[in-house]
Amino acid sequence: MNIPKIELHLHIEGAAPPAFIRGLAQEKGVSLDGVFNEDGSYRFESFNQFLSVYEAACTVLTGPEEFGRLTTAVLEQSIEQGVIYTEAFLSPDFCGGGDVGAWREYMHAMQEASAKLPQIEMRGIITCIRHFGPDQAKTAAKCAAETAGDFITGFGMGGDEMRGKQGDFAYSFDMAREAGLRLTTHAGEWGGAESVWQAVRDLGVERIGHGVQSIDDPRLVDHLAEHEIVLEVCPGSNVALAVYPDWHSHPIEKLRERGVKVTVSTDDPPFFHTNLGAEYDLLGHHFGWDDEIVRDVNITAANAAFCDDATRKNLLKKLEPAS
Ligand code: ADE
Ligand code: ZN
């Protein structure tokens, strides 16, 4: 399939190839005990272990230069999958610890790396980390507000959805909104439909990271469809982390059939042994997605992208079928 792809949900650190992280660990003489399996892949057996391994891998990403190199490696992988536009979650917590001056340097390194690859367009969504708590989130929001612009276009939240409530982070989301940033948050990956209601009601987000557990509440499904709230669905991630036991039980197709605007992303592809091409192959295999559906889903993603109208127009043009 050579339909260009648009990815809206990709954590930059989570997209680090394990060999890239191992290489940095070697350069720095750091040992990363417990991070890798014998075959070299990332090692975890539960969501909490995944978060710990993720944070341990981040310890070798020590400066702007490392994040510049990481950005190049990640975007090259995406280009190979036919991705023409990607939104990456960027966390000031891993990039200078929330200090605005330090964050600017990390951001410039990533922006510069992205500008060297004209095959793909990148935007950054600054992400606070839920299990670091609402006070730490404010430092991420401040970095976001201070650097909002052509490259940083959104604000969001990842991390452990079972800690606290979405509304505990309203101050940070309000700060980001006032700075002109577009909003998304992880919800309904682990916290059920109630977490998605909270995200919509208490944070006023226009997109939801995952959101798949909305399927358990028919009123919520109607609400999402009616208000055109877009889901950033990552089916391979959900299956790898056992949110659903297998692809067959994943609700993406039911949500789509009910009129919810779904898009497809990979979340943290090397952790889940996936890439965007593989996700679409499996959607074809399990749910019969053909080229028309794939094109439609990518048009939905282009329309929901946190980018300027000229960029959006350009993406939509590239998605037109060749005549
Ligand atoms: N950070 C990276 N991947 C994540 C996921 N799937 N859920 C929550 N936080 C994350
Ligand atoms: Zn995610």
Side-chain angles (χ1 to χ4, degrees), residues 11 47 50 54 158-159 186 189 210 267-268:
H11 299 261
F47 180 59
F50 159 76
Y54 187 110
H186 284 59
E189 180 190 18
H210 299 284
D267 211 9
D268 310 282

Side-chain angles (χ1 to χ4, degrees), residues 80-91:
E80 250 177 62
Q81 297 303 314
V83 179
I84 56 169
Y85 175 92
T86 192
E87 285 179 8
F89 291 121
L90 313 176
S91 306

Side-chain angles (χ1 to χ4, degrees), residues 224-225 228-233 255-256 259-263 300 304:
L224 296 176
E228 302 192 354
I229 294 165
V230 173
L231 302 188
E232 305 152 9
V233 183
L255 288 161
R256 197 184 70 85
V260 177
K261 290 196 177 294
V262 300
T263 62
T300 298

Side-chain angles (χ1 to χ4, degrees), residues 1 3-8 81-85 262-265 276 280 283 289-305 312 315-316 318-319:
M1 170 199 315
I3 299 169
K5 301 180 192 75
I6 292 175
E7 178 150 48
L8 302 181
Q81 297 303 314
V83 179
I84 56 169
Y85 175 92
V262 300
T263 62
V264 177
S265 293
L276 204 50
Y280 281 108
L283 287 160
W289 282 26
D290 57 13
D291 281 8
E292 196 184 332
I293 296 177
V294 173
R295 197 180 306 277
D296 253 21
V297 163
N298 280 283
I299 290 171
T300 298
N303 284 318
R312 190 182 327 285
L315 296 176
L316 288 167
K318 288 184 179 164
L319 279 164

Side-chain angles (χ1 to χ4, degrees), residues 19-297:
F20 178 89
I21 294 294
R22 260 196 307 281
L24 279 182
Q26 237 160 24
E27 274 176 36
K28 291 167 195 296
V30 174
S31 89
L32 286 175
D33 286 341
V35 168
F36 301 110
N37 289 310
E38 269 172 27
D39 68 2
S41 59
Y42 290 114
R43 175 176 181 177
F44 58 91
E45 277 169 13
S46 65
F47 180 59
N48 283 326
Q49 270 181 22
F50 159 76
L51 290 176
S52 303
V53 164
Y54 187 110
E55 285 166 28
C58 285
T59 60
V60 300
L61 296 162
T62 48
E65 200 238 316
E66 285 80 354
F67 271 87
R69 282 161 66 187
L70 172 62
T71 302
T72 303
V74 169
L75 294 181
E76 281 174 348
Q77 289 181 149
S78 296
I79 290 166
E80 250 177 62
Q81 297 303 314
V83 179
I84 56 169
Y85 175 92
T86 192
E87 285 179 8
F89 291 121
L90 313 176
S91 306
D93 289 297
F94 299 130
C95 297
D99 176 80
V100 176
W103 160 247
R104 259 185 217 289
E105 291 184 21
Y106 282 81
M107 182 194 77
H108 284 138
M110 292 187 265
Q111 191 171 9
E112 240 172 60
S114 135
K116 286 192 184 134
L117 294 167
Q119 311 92 309
I120 189 165
E121 193 76 42
M122 170 181 171
R123 297 291 183 275
I125 300 178
I126 293 206
T127 312
C128 64
I129 297 174
R130 186 156 168 169
H131 53 276
F132 293 175
D135 282 340
Q136 187 69 13
K138 288 178 192 166
T139 68
K142 187 147 193 294
C143 290
E146 295 277 340
T147 55
D150 292 347
F151 183 62
I152 299 300
T153 56
F155 182 74
M157 175 161 65
D160 185 353
E161 198 188 333
M162 302 313 277
R163 300 270 193 102
K165 297 194 177 70
Q166 301 279 3
D168 299 342
F169 298 84
Y171 181 96
S172 292
F173 279 77
D174 286 348
M175 197 193 310
R177 181 188 295 103
E178 280 162 25
L181 291 162
R182 317 267 306 263
L183 305 176
T184 177
T185 185
H186 284 59
E189 180 190 18
W190 301 103
E194 173 52 25
S195 170
V196 179
W197 279 121
Q198 284 175 21
V200 170
R201 191 182 58 218
D202 302 337
L203 300 181
V205 294
E206 57 184 293
R207 291 190 343 217
I208 300 279
H210 299 284
V212 285
Q213 293 178 327
S214 304
I215 198 67
D216 300 328
D217 180 344
R219 265 188 50 237
L220 177 57
V221 172
D222 290 345
H223 183 89
L224 296 176
E226 189 187 331
H227 292 85
E228 302 192 354
I229 294 165
V230 173
L231 302 188
E232 305 152 9
V233 183
C234 310
S237 160
N238 297 150
V239 173
L241 288 171
V243 179
Y244 295 98
D246 50 39
W247 272 77
H248 180 69
S249 20
H250 194 280
I252 187 168
E253 180 58 4
K254 289 197 188 89
L255 288 161
R256 197 184 70 85
E257 280 169 358
R258 296 275 307 272
V260 177
K261 290 196 177 294
V262 300
T263 62
V264 177
S265 293
T266 54
D267 211 9
D268 310 282
F271 279 85
F272 308 136
H273 306 280
T274 190
N275 57 55
L276 204 50
E279 296 286 318
Y280 281 108
D281 286 348
L282 286 161
L283 287 160
H285 178 75
H286 290 281
F287 303 118
W289 282 26
D290 57 13
D291 281 8
E292 196 184 332
I293 296 177
V294 173
R295 197 180 306 277
D296 253 21
V297 163

